[in-house]
Amino acid sequence: MVSSGPLKAPRCPLRALGPLSPVLNPVPILVLANKQDLPGAKDPQEIERLLGIAELGNTHLWHIQPACAITGEGLDEALENLYEMIHKQRRLSKTSKKKPR
């Protein structure tokens, strides 16, 4: 979860972590852009840019969900998106493991 309130940059950009381990490649990434109720909250596109998520390319499924922890807004949608990403990743894993005969 990142605070999308009026900050200059998120506290932990993905690119600062270095290359993600190949073991984590199939793990979907869900970013909760919290504090959307505050003036000056960053939109998902700005969070995407600041975290460098687009730099992951097609190696990961990811989603940025605007949210407000106080009201719960966006949390149901976040969990639905996470479920869909996990389901999609499982389907992709199964099809990539099947070898042509």
Side-chain angles (χ1 to χ4, degrees):
M1 179 184 299
V2 296
S3 173
S4 57
L7 298 174
K8 292 182 181 174
R11 293 182 193 130
C12 185
L14 291 176
R15 63 178 163 256
L17 297 175
L20 294 178
S21 163
V23 174
L24 295 178
N25 277 347
V27 177
I29 297 172
L30 173 63
V31 177
L32 292 172
N34 192 27
K35 300 189 180 182
Q36 290 295 305
D37 57 324
L38 296 179
K42 293 180 179 19
D43 61 24
Q45 293 79 18
E46 180 69 6
I47 302 254
E48 176 186 334
R49 186 186 69 73
L50 290 170
L51 290 176
I53 291 178
E55 294 172 14
L56 294 174
N58 293 331
T59 62
H60 283 80
L61 295 174
W62 56 271
H63 177 73
I64 299 174
Q65 179 63 50
C68 175
I70 292 174
T71 65
E73 186 177 342
L75 299 181
D76 287 339
E77 294 88 348
L79 292 176
E80 288 172 17
N81 276 294
L82 181 59
Y83 172 81
E84 290 300 322
M85 288 190 296
I86 291 170
H87 188 67
K88 183 176 182 178
Q89 185 60 50
R90 285 182 179 167
R91 283 193 318 260
L92 291 171
S93 293
K94 285 180 182 178
T95 58
S96 68
K97 287 181 183 178
K98 290 182 181 177
K99 295 179 183 176
R101 295 179 187 208

